[in-house]
Amino acid sequence: MKADELFFLPLGGAGEIGMNLNLYGHGDQWLMVDLGITFAGPELPGVDVLMPDPRFIVERRDQLAGLLLTHAHEDHIGAVPYLWKQLQCPLYATPFTRSMLERKLKEAGLFEAAPITEIPMSGRVSIGKFDIELITLTHSIPEPNAVVIRTAAGNVLHTGDWKLDDDPLVGDNFDEARLKALADEDILAMVCDLDQRTQCGGNRF
């Protein structure tokens, strides 16, 4: 990858429900956003869950700056305990998502090996060459986040799962002011999980 290039590579979750695994590439590094499972249907008897194929990034593990989790649903964090040994990268999550993921890592015997860096809601963090800003959304679980990914080659808004709910049953309201302010920034693309039937994130972009 050249210094002026920014790549989006979905290894799972794009055009389907579940097992999200999104990669952003810039310079000589990759950022992973989410690593989830999907539940198998009757067409696969005897199979409970499916996971994305991480071979592309496993072969480039030394270039993987980190894994950022947008929220705690299984289709976004469920594969972490199963695939982290192949990746062995830093993990980043907000407090609620961190607590949910830590339980899974303890059950898998990975709690000490795979520490999680906690990011506050609306927080910012640098992960390698990627500058990250979280924007609070609403969903059916606490602490869902959109992610603004800033690089020297341009900026992307990655929504994660979301809906626009003025009176959410769980968690804070979505940050309308921050979302509107992005209209005045140089955003190259919006990678958006959207199900138009429900106005809720549904792994389409």
Coordinates of all heavy atoms in Angstrom, one line a residue, residues 72 77 93-106 111 116 118 142-143:
A72 N -21.3 -4.7 21.5 CA -21.1 -6.0 22.1 C -22.0 -7.1 21.6 O -22.1 -8.1 22.2 CB -21.3 -5.9 23.6
I77 N -18.6 -9.2 18.1 CA -17.4 -9.6 19.0 C -17.3 -11.1 19.2 O -16.4 -11.6 19.7 CB -17.6 -9.0 20.4 CG1 -18.7 -9.5 21.2 CG2 -17.7 -7.4 20.3 CD1 -18.8 -9.1 22.7
A93 N -12.1 -1.2 23.0 CA -13.6 -1.3 23.2 C -14.0 -0.3 24.3 O -13.2 0.1 25.1 CB -14.0 -2.7 23.6
T94 N -15.3 0.1 24.2 CA -15.8 1.0 25.3 C -16.1 0.1 26.5 O -16.1 -1.1 26.5 CB -17.1 1.7 24.8 OG1 -18.0 0.7 24.3 CG2 -16.8 2.6 23.7
P95 N -16.5 0.7 27.7 CA -16.6 0.0 28.9 C -17.5 -1.2 28.9 O -17.1 -2.3 29.3 CB -17.0 1.0 29.9 CG -16.5 2.3 29.4 CD -16.5 2.2 27.9
F96 N -18.7 -1.1 28.4 CA -19.7 -2.2 28.4 C -19.2 -3.3 27.5 O -19.2 -4.5 27.8 CB -21.1 -1.7 27.9 CG -22.1 -2.8 27.9 CD1 -22.7 -3.3 29.0 CD2 -22.4 -3.4 26.7 CE1 -23.6 -4.3 29.0 CE2 -23.3 -4.4 26.6 CZ -23.9 -4.9 27.8
T97 N -18.7 -2.9 26.3 CA -18.2 -4.0 25.3 C -17.0 -4.7 25.9 O -16.9 -5.9 25.8 CB -17.9 -3.3 24.0 OG1 -19.1 -2.7 23.4 CG2 -17.4 -4.4 23.0
R98 N -16.2 -3.9 26.6 CA -15.0 -4.5 27.2 C -15.4 -5.6 28.3 O -14.9 -6.7 28.3 CB -14.2 -3.4 27.9 CG -13.0 -4.0 28.7 CD -12.1 -3.0 29.4 NE -11.1 -3.6 30.1 CZ -10.1 -2.9 30.7 NH1 -10.1 -1.6 30.7 NH2 -9.1 -3.5 31.4
S99 N -16.4 -5.2 29.1 CA -16.9 -6.2 30.1 C -17.4 -7.4 29.5 O -17.2 -8.5 30.0 CB -17.9 -5.5 31.1 OG -19.1 -5.2 30.4
M100 N -18.2 -7.3 28.4 CA -18.8 -8.5 27.8 C -17.7 -9.3 27.1 O -17.7 -10.6 27.2 CB -19.8 -8.0 26.7 CG -21.0 -7.3 27.3 SD -22.1 -8.4 28.2 CE -22.8 -9.3 26.9
L101 N -16.7 -8.7 26.5 CA -15.6 -9.4 25.9 C -14.7 -10.1 26.9 O -14.2 -11.2 26.6 CB -14.8 -8.5 24.9 CG -13.8 -9.1 24.1 CD1 -14.3 -10.3 23.2 CD2 -13.1 -8.1 23.2
E102 N -14.5 -9.4 28.0 CA -13.6 -10.0 29.0 C -14.2 -11.4 29.5 O -13.4 -12.3 29.8 CB -13.4 -9.1 30.2 CG -12.4 -7.9 29.9 CD -12.2 -7.0 31.0 OE1 -13.0 -7.0 31.9 OE2 -11.2 -6.3 31.0
R103 N -15.5 -11.4 29.7 CA -16.1 -12.7 30.1 C -15.8 -13.8 29.1 O -15.4 -14.9 29.5 CB -17.6 -12.6 30.2 CG -18.1 -11.8 31.4 CD -19.6 -11.9 31.4 NE -20.2 -11.3 32.6 CZ -21.4 -11.3 33.0 NH1 -22.3 -12.0 32.2 NH2 -21.9 -10.7 34.1
K104 N -15.9 -13.5 27.8 CA -15.6 -14.5 26.8 C -14.1 -14.9 26.8 O -13.8 -16.1 26.6 CB -16.0 -13.9 25.4 CG -17.5 -13.7 25.2 CD -17.8 -13.1 23.9 CE -19.3 -12.9 23.7 NZ -20.0 -14.2 23.6
L105 N -13.2 -13.9 27.0 CA -11.8 -14.2 27.0 C -11.4 -15.1 28.2 O -10.6 -15.9 28.1 CB -11.0 -12.9 27.0 CG -11.1 -12.1 25.7 CD1 -10.4 -10.8 25.8 CD2 -10.5 -12.9 24.5
K106 N -12.1 -14.8 29.3 CA -11.8 -15.6 30.5 C -12.2 -17.1 30.3 O -11.5 -18.0 30.6 CB -12.6 -15.1 31.7 CG -12.0 -13.8 32.3 CD -12.8 -13.3 33.5 CE -12.2 -12.0 34.0 NZ -13.0 -11.4 35.1
F111 N -7.7 -14.3 29.0 CA -7.9 -13.0 29.7 C -6.6 -12.3 29.9 O -6.5 -11.1 29.7 CB -8.6 -13.2 31.0 CG -8.8 -12.0 31.8 CD1 -9.7 -11.0 31.4 CD2 -8.1 -11.7 32.9 CE1 -10.0 -9.8 32.1 CE2 -8.3 -10.5 33.6 CZ -9.2 -9.6 33.2
I116 N -7.5 -5.6 26.9 CA -8.3 -4.7 26.1 C -8.1 -3.3 26.6 O -8.1 -3.0 27.8 CB -9.8 -5.1 26.3 CG1 -10.1 -6.5 26.0 CG2 -10.7 -4.2 25.5 CD1 -11.4 -7.0 26.4
E118 N -9.5 0.2 27.1 CA -10.8 0.8 27.2 C -10.8 2.2 26.6 O -9.9 3.1 26.9 CB -11.3 0.8 28.6 CG -12.7 1.3 28.8 CD -13.1 1.2 30.2 OE1 -13.2 0.0 30.7 OE2 -13.4 2.2 30.9
P142 N -26.4 -1.4 25.0 CA -25.7 -0.2 25.4 C -24.4 0.0 24.6 O -23.8 -0.9 24.1 CB -25.3 -0.5 26.9 CG -26.3 -1.5 27.3 CD -26.6 -2.4 26.1
E143 N -24.1 1.3 24.5 CA -22.8 1.8 24.0 C -22.5 1.4 22.5 O -21.4 1.0 22.2 CB -21.6 1.3 24.9 CG -21.7 1.9 26.3 CD -20.5 1.6 27.1 OE1 -19.6 1.0 26.6 OE2 -20.6 1.9 28.3

